[in-house]
Amino acid sequence: MSLVITGATLADGTVADLAVADGVFVPAADAPAGAERFDAAGLIALPGLVDLHTHLREPGHEDAETVESGTRAAARGGFTAVFAMPNLDPATDTAEAAAYVAELGRRDGHCEVVPIGAVTKGRDGVELAELGLMAGQGVRVFSDDGACVHDSLIMRRALTYLRPFDGVVAQHAQDPRLAGPGACCHESEISGRLGLPGWPTVAESTIIARDVQLAEFTGGRYHACHLSTAESVEVIRWAKARGKADVTAEVTPHHLLLDTPHVESFDTTYKVNPPLRTSEHLEAVREGLADGTIDIVGTDHAPHTQQDKDHPFDVASPGMLGLEEALAVVMEVMVNTGRLDWTGVADRMSVAPARIGRLRHQGRPLAVGEPAHLVLVDPSRRSTVDKHRSASKARNNPYHGLDLPDPVELTVWGGRITFRR
Ligand code: DOR
Ligand code: ZN
C-alpha cells in the first residue's frame, strides 16, 4: 500500500510531507497516484516506538495475553517493535523456543516481535542457557526478567560469553536475600503501616553496583531494567562517568508517574516488581531520563488475568499494563514539564532501544530510503483512560480513570497502517 502524510512536524520542528510506497519512504513527488492521503497538520511524526521490555504471554498464558492482543496494544501505543521477555511457558531458553516466538510474531503480530533469550536454563539462575545457539538465531538481548541473575559468577560468565555475539544482559536487579519472593511494597513507613513485606531500595542498587563493575571487568554489554530508585540512578551515573563499561539503563512509565501511596488501597493493580516508590525516587528517575543517565523507557507491559490479581496483596501476581499509555505518561511527566523535547522522546523510546537491542532497521530517521515505521502524535489531545477500551486481554491498567494525554493518531509499521484513531 502507499500513503502520503502531509504537513507533519518532525521531531526537530521542520514540517514535511512523508510519502510511503512498498514499505519505505519515497520522495513525495514519486508517490503513486492512488496513494491514500493523511492530513497531519499540527501532528508530530516520530519514528515508530520500540519497546525493549514487553511481556507477551504466549506461549503458556494466552488467557492473559497473546501475541495478537499484545501487539495490537503495542500498535495503539505507537510501537512498531517489541522485545518479548522470555518468562513464558516454556521459557525462551533455547534456539527453538526463540524461533517459535519470532514465528508467532510473524504470524500474528501487529508490530515486529523480537524474542529475548533467557540467561539461564529455565530462568532459575543456576546454569547458563544456550546463549550461543540463541545468538545464532539472531537473539541479541538476554534476560531472566522476573528473576534476578543473582549469582556473580553466572553474571560474569554471561557477560563474557555474550561479548563475541554483541549480546547484552538485561538484568532484573533484585537481590533475592534482601527482597525475597514475598517482598511487594517499597520498604518504608508505608510497608510498616500496611503490614506488607518490604522491598528495600538497596536490593536493587547493590545488584546494579556489582553488575556495572562486572561489565567493566569483562567488557560485556549490560542493561539495567526498570530502575526504580535514586541510588540505582547514582550507580549508573557513576559507571557511565568512568567511561569504561558498556552500560545502559531503563525506566518504566509507572515508575515515572505512580508513587507508593497508590498501594494504600491494597488494589493489586498497583502491585509491581520492583514496587512503586516514593516521590524522591520518582524525581530521581525523571532527572536520570532527562539527562541521559537512563537511556530508555521500557514499558514492562505485564498483563495478568483478574484471577491472578484477585488475591491478598502479598500473593497476587506482580505487574501492570503499559504499552498503550507509555507515550502518554512520557508526555505528561517529561515533555509537558519541559524535561524532554520531541527529539529526546524519539531517542528514549525508539532510537536508543533499537540500538541497545541491535534492531538495525528500527529507530531510523524518517527519511527517503528508510523503512516506513512511524507514529503520528497529537500533542494536545487528552482523555480519561478507560481500561475497558484496551486492546490487551488483561485489565490490570494502573492508569484507569486518570486524565492523560491521548496522543496516538496513526501507527505505520513497514508501510502498513497498524493503528488509526
Ligand atoms: O511486575 C513485574 N511483572 N515485574 C517483573 O519483573 C515480571 C513481570 C511479569 O512477568 O509479570
Ligand atoms: Zn523485571
Side-chain angles (χ1 to χ4, degrees), residues 53 55 57 85 87 123 144-147 172 174 226 254 271-274 300-304 309 317-320 396:
H53 195 146
H55 296 276
R57 300 301 192 195
M85 276 294 176
N87 61 337
R123 299 171 44 256
D144 279 355
D145 185 56
H172 171 118
Q174 176 177 4
H226 44 52
H254 47 274
K271 178 173 177 179
V272 67
N273 199 15
D300 201 0
H301 176 88
H304 287 290
K309 281 288 188 184
S317 295
M320 37 182 67
N396 53 315

Short mmCIF file of all heavy atoms in Angstrom, two decimals, residues 53 55 57 85 87 123 144-147 172 174 226 254 271-274 300-304 309 317-320 396, ligand 1:
data_model
loop_
_atom_site.label_atom_id
_atom_site.label_comp_id
_atom_site.label_asym_id
_atom_site.label_seq_id
_atom_site.Cartn_x
_atom_site.Cartn_y
_atom_site.Cartn_z
N HIS A 53 11.11 -4.04 26.48
CA HIS A 53 10.69 -4.80 27.67
C HIS A 53 9.18 -5.04 27.68
O HIS A 53 8.43 -4.33 28.35
CB HIS A 53 11.13 -4.04 28.93
CG HIS A 53 11.08 -4.85 30.18
ND1 HIS A 53 11.98 -4.69 31.20
CD2 HIS A 53 10.22 -5.82 30.60
CE1 HIS A 53 11.69 -5.54 32.19
NE2 HIS A 53 10.62 -6.22 31.85
N HIS A 55 6.09 -8.04 28.10
CA HIS A 55 5.69 -9.40 28.40
C HIS A 55 4.46 -9.75 27.57
O HIS A 55 3.38 -9.22 27.81
CB HIS A 55 5.37 -9.56 29.89
CG HIS A 55 6.56 -9.34 30.78
ND1 HIS A 55 7.48 -10.33 31.07
CD2 HIS A 55 7.01 -8.23 31.42
CE1 HIS A 55 8.42 -9.84 31.87
NE2 HIS A 55 8.16 -8.56 32.09
N ARG A 57 2.24 -13.14 26.66
CA ARG A 57 2.09 -14.35 27.48
C ARG A 57 1.96 -15.61 26.64
O ARG A 57 1.52 -16.64 27.15
CB ARG A 57 0.90 -14.20 28.42
CG ARG A 57 1.00 -13.02 29.38
CD ARG A 57 2.22 -13.08 30.28
NE ARG A 57 2.11 -12.10 31.36
CZ ARG A 57 3.12 -11.72 32.13
NH1 ARG A 57 4.33 -12.21 31.95
NH2 ARG A 57 2.93 -10.82 33.08
N MET A 85 9.88 -10.64 26.45
CA MET A 85 10.61 -11.23 27.57
C MET A 85 10.42 -12.75 27.59
O MET A 85 9.35 -13.25 27.23
CB MET A 85 10.16 -10.58 28.88
CG MET A 85 10.87 -9.27 29.18
SD MET A 85 12.64 -9.60 29.49
CE MET A 85 13.24 -7.91 29.70
N ASN A 87 10.07 -14.94 30.03
CA ASN A 87 9.39 -15.67 31.12
C ASN A 87 8.04 -16.19 30.64
O ASN A 87 6.98 -15.84 31.14
CB ASN A 87 9.26 -14.82 32.39
CG ASN A 87 8.46 -13.54 32.20
OD1 ASN A 87 8.34 -13.03 31.09
ND2 ASN A 87 7.90 -13.03 33.29
N ARG A 123 15.38 -20.04 33.52
CA ARG A 123 15.47 -18.78 34.28
C ARG A 123 15.65 -19.04 35.77
O ARG A 123 15.24 -18.25 36.59
CB ARG A 123 14.22 -17.90 34.06
CG ARG A 123 13.98 -17.48 32.63
CD ARG A 123 12.63 -16.81 32.43
NE ARG A 123 12.33 -15.86 33.47
CZ ARG A 123 11.48 -16.09 34.48
NH1 ARG A 123 10.83 -17.23 34.56
NH2 ARG A 123 11.29 -15.17 35.41
N ASP A 144 16.77 -12.85 32.45
CA ASP A 144 15.95 -13.77 33.25
C ASP A 144 14.79 -13.00 33.87
O ASP A 144 14.21 -13.43 34.88
CB ASP A 144 16.79 -14.44 34.35
CG ASP A 144 17.60 -15.62 33.81
OD1 ASP A 144 17.45 -15.96 32.63
OD2 ASP A 144 18.39 -16.18 34.60
N ASP A 145 14.41 -11.89 33.28
CA ASP A 145 13.46 -10.94 33.89
C ASP A 145 12.29 -11.63 34.60
O ASP A 145 11.75 -12.62 34.13
CB ASP A 145 12.91 -9.96 32.87
CG ASP A 145 12.05 -8.92 33.56
OD1 ASP A 145 12.53 -8.25 34.47
OD2 ASP A 145 10.85 -8.83 33.21
N GLY A 146 11.92 -11.01 35.71
CA GLY A 146 11.02 -11.64 36.66
C GLY A 146 11.87 -12.25 37.76
O GLY A 146 11.47 -12.31 38.91
N ALA A 147 13.07 -12.68 37.37
CA ALA A 147 14.06 -13.17 38.33
C ALA A 147 15.38 -12.46 38.04
O ALA A 147 15.66 -12.05 36.92
CB ALA A 147 14.24 -14.68 38.18
N HIS A 172 17.17 -7.90 35.69
CA HIS A 172 16.12 -7.57 36.66
C HIS A 172 16.84 -7.57 38.01
O HIS A 172 17.07 -8.62 38.60
CB HIS A 172 15.01 -8.63 36.61
CG HIS A 172 14.00 -8.52 37.70
ND1 HIS A 172 12.67 -8.27 37.46
CD2 HIS A 172 14.10 -8.65 39.05
CE1 HIS A 172 12.00 -8.26 38.61
NE2 HIS A 172 12.86 -8.48 39.60
N GLN A 174 17.37 -7.48 41.61
CA GLN A 174 16.62 -7.72 42.86
C GLN A 174 17.39 -8.76 43.65
O GLN A 174 17.29 -9.96 43.35
CB GLN A 174 15.20 -8.21 42.55
CG GLN A 174 14.39 -8.57 43.79
CD GLN A 174 12.96 -8.99 43.46
OE1 GLN A 174 12.57 -9.08 42.30
NE2 GLN A 174 12.17 -9.23 44.49
N HIS A 226 14.17 -1.57 34.34
CA HIS A 226 13.25 -0.88 35.26
C HIS A 226 13.87 -0.33 36.54
O HIS A 226 13.52 -0.76 37.64
CB HIS A 226 12.04 -1.76 35.59
CG HIS A 226 12.30 -3.22 35.89
ND1 HIS A 226 13.20 -3.66 36.82
CD2 HIS A 226 11.72 -4.34 35.37
CE1 HIS A 226 13.17 -4.98 36.87
NE2 HIS A 226 12.29 -5.40 36.00
N HIS A 254 5.40 3.48 34.67
CA HIS A 254 4.79 3.53 36.02
C HIS A 254 5.76 4.05 37.07
O HIS A 254 5.34 4.73 37.99
CB HIS A 254 4.16 2.19 36.41
CG HIS A 254 4.98 0.97 36.18
ND1 HIS A 254 5.00 0.31 34.98
CD2 HIS A 254 5.82 0.28 36.98
CE1 HIS A 254 5.80 -0.75 35.07
NE2 HIS A 254 6.32 -0.78 36.28
N LYS A 271 0.32 -3.53 42.35
CA LYS A 271 1.43 -4.40 42.74
C LYS A 271 2.32 -4.65 41.53
O LYS A 271 1.84 -5.14 40.49
CB LYS A 271 0.93 -5.74 43.29
CG LYS A 271 2.11 -6.65 43.65
CD LYS A 271 1.69 -7.90 44.35
CE LYS A 271 2.92 -8.78 44.59
NZ LYS A 271 2.58 -10.02 45.31
N VAL A 272 3.58 -4.31 41.66
CA VAL A 272 4.51 -4.44 40.54
C VAL A 272 5.89 -4.66 41.12
O VAL A 272 6.16 -4.31 42.28
CB VAL A 272 4.45 -3.17 39.64
CG1 VAL A 272 4.98 -1.95 40.36
CG2 VAL A 272 5.14 -3.38 38.31
N ASN A 273 6.74 -5.25 40.29
CA ASN A 273 8.06 -5.63 40.75
C ASN A 273 9.12 -5.06 39.80
O ASN A 273 9.12 -5.46 38.64
CB ASN A 273 8.15 -7.17 40.77
CG ASN A 273 9.26 -7.64 41.64
OD1 ASN A 273 9.80 -6.89 42.44
ND2 ASN A 273 9.63 -8.90 41.49
N PRO A 274 10.03 -4.19 40.24
CA PRO A 274 10.13 -3.59 41.57
C PRO A 274 8.91 -2.72 41.89
O PRO A 274 8.20 -2.29 40.99
CB PRO A 274 11.40 -2.75 41.48
CG PRO A 274 11.58 -2.46 40.03
CD PRO A 274 11.05 -3.65 39.31
N ASP A 300 7.71 -2.63 30.42
CA ASP A 300 7.43 -3.73 31.36
C ASP A 300 5.93 -4.05 31.36
O ASP A 300 5.36 -4.40 32.40
CB ASP A 300 7.92 -3.41 32.78
CG ASP A 300 8.10 -4.68 33.62
OD1 ASP A 300 7.85 -5.80 33.10
OD2 ASP A 300 8.47 -4.55 34.80
N HIS A 301 5.32 -3.89 30.18
CA HIS A 301 3.91 -4.28 29.99
C HIS A 301 3.75 -5.73 30.49
O HIS A 301 4.33 -6.64 29.92
CB HIS A 301 3.59 -4.18 28.49
CG HIS A 301 2.21 -4.62 28.10
ND1 HIS A 301 1.14 -3.77 28.12
CD2 HIS A 301 1.74 -5.81 27.65
CE1 HIS A 301 0.05 -4.41 27.69
NE2 HIS A 301 0.40 -5.66 27.41
N ALA A 302 2.96 -5.91 31.55
CA ALA A 302 2.87 -7.22 32.21
C ALA A 302 1.42 -7.59 32.46
O ALA A 302 0.87 -7.37 33.55
CB ALA A 302 3.66 -7.21 33.52
N PRO A 303 0.76 -8.14 31.44
CA PRO A 303 -0.66 -8.48 31.59
C PRO A 303 -0.86 -9.66 32.54
O PRO A 303 -0.08 -10.63 32.52
CB PRO A 303 -1.08 -8.86 30.16
CG PRO A 303 0.18 -9.08 29.39
CD PRO A 303 1.30 -8.46 30.11
N HIS A 304 -1.89 -9.55 33.37
CA HIS A 304 -2.29 -10.65 34.25
C HIS A 304 -3.80 -10.78 34.22
O HIS A 304 -4.52 -9.78 34.09
CB HIS A 304 -1.83 -10.40 35.68
CG HIS A 304 -0.35 -10.55 35.87
ND1 HIS A 304 0.29 -11.76 35.80
CD2 HIS A 304 0.62 -9.63 36.09
CE1 HIS A 304 1.59 -11.60 35.98
NE2 HIS A 304 1.83 -10.31 36.15
N LYS A 309 -4.86 -11.66 39.85
CA LYS A 309 -4.77 -10.43 40.64
C LYS A 309 -5.71 -10.46 41.86
O LYS A 309 -5.52 -9.71 42.80
CB LYS A 309 -5.12 -9.22 39.76
CG LYS A 309 -3.98 -8.76 38.83
CD LYS A 309 -2.86 -8.09 39.64
CE LYS A 309 -1.81 -7.44 38.76
NZ LYS A 309 -0.69 -6.88 39.57
N SER A 317 -0.25 -11.68 41.63
CA SER A 317 0.84 -11.59 40.65
C SER A 317 1.26 -10.13 40.48
O SER A 317 0.41 -9.25 40.37
CB SER A 317 0.39 -12.14 39.30
OG SER A 317 0.12 -13.52 39.41
N PRO A 318 2.57 -9.87 40.41
CA PRO A 318 3.03 -8.51 40.20
C PRO A 318 3.03 -8.14 38.71
O PRO A 318 3.31 -8.99 37.87
CB PRO A 318 4.47 -8.54 40.73
CG PRO A 318 4.93 -9.95 40.47
CD PRO A 318 3.69 -10.83 40.56
N GLY A 319 2.73 -6.90 38.41
CA GLY A 319 2.84 -6.44 37.04
C GLY A 319 1.65 -5.58 36.64
O GLY A 319 0.56 -5.73 37.19
N MET A 320 1.89 -4.68 35.69
CA MET A 320 0.84 -3.77 35.20
C MET A 320 1.01 -3.53 33.70
O MET A 320 2.10 -3.69 33.16
CB MET A 320 0.85 -2.45 35.98
CG MET A 320 2.20 -1.92 36.36
SD MET A 320 2.14 -0.38 37.33
CE MET A 320 1.41 -0.82 38.87
N ASN A 396 -5.33 -5.08 34.05
CA ASN A 396 -4.55 -4.53 35.16
C ASN A 396 -3.85 -3.25 34.71
O ASN A 396 -2.63 -3.16 34.65
CB ASN A 396 -3.56 -5.57 35.71
CG ASN A 396 -2.67 -6.21 34.66
OD1 ASN A 396 -3.14 -6.60 33.59
ND2 ASN A 396 -1.39 -6.32 34.95
O1 DOR B 1 5.97 -6.69 37.89
C1 DOR B 1 6.56 -7.48 37.17
N1 DOR B 1 5.89 -8.31 36.35
N2 DOR B 1 7.88 -7.50 37.19
C2 DOR B 1 8.60 -8.44 36.54
O2 DOR B 1 9.81 -8.42 36.60
C3 DOR B 1 7.91 -9.52 35.79
C4 DOR B 1 6.58 -9.06 35.37
C5 DOR B 1 5.70 -10.18 34.87
O3 DOR B 1 6.15 -11.00 34.07
O4 DOR B 1 4.53 -10.22 35.25
#
